[in-house]
């Protein structure tokens, strides 16, 4: 199974505002959760919604990935 560490990147500063780990499509789940206002992390939700309201696209970049051999 493929696991990865990912960044959600502010398109203006090109700096990450969130670092996470996951598998499958986890890095995109935050966007769905923000849209439906179901993020457990309210800072993350507000940041995503603010950037979207400004017409900006948020990059979800994979920083590192590994394949679990178990």
């Amino acid at each position: 199974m493929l696991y990865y560490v990912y960044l959600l990147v502010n398109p203006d500063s090109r700096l990450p505002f969130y670092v996470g780990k996951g598998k499958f499509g986890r890095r995109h789940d935050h966007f769905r959760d923000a849209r439906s206002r179901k993020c457990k992390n309210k800072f993350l939700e507000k940041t995503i919604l603010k950037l979207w309201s400004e017409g900006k696209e948020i990059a979800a970049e994979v920083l590192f990935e590994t394949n679990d051999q178990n």
Side-chain angles (χ1 to χ4, degrees), residues 33-62:
D33 292 345
R35 189 174 291 115
S36 63
R37 310 246 182 207
K38 292 184 179 178
C39 278
K40 292 179 182 175
N41 181 329
K42 292 304 174 186
F43 166 79
L44 179 59
E45 181 178 291
K46 287 179 183 182
T47 303
I48 291 170
L49 293 174
K50 179 181 183 294
L51 290 169
W52 281 349
S53 74
E54 296 170 354
K56 301 191 175 142
E57 188 172 326
I58 302 163
E61 299 177 2
V62 174

Side-chain angles (χ1 to χ4, degrees), residues 7-18 43 47 50-51 54 56-59 61:
L7 309 171
L8 297 183
V9 179
N10 183 312
D12 293 329
S13 66
R14 295 294 303 149
L15 294 173
F17 63 90
Y18 185 80
F43 166 79
T47 303
K50 179 181 183 294
L51 290 169
E54 296 170 354
K56 301 191 175 142
E57 188 172 326
I58 302 163
E61 299 177 2

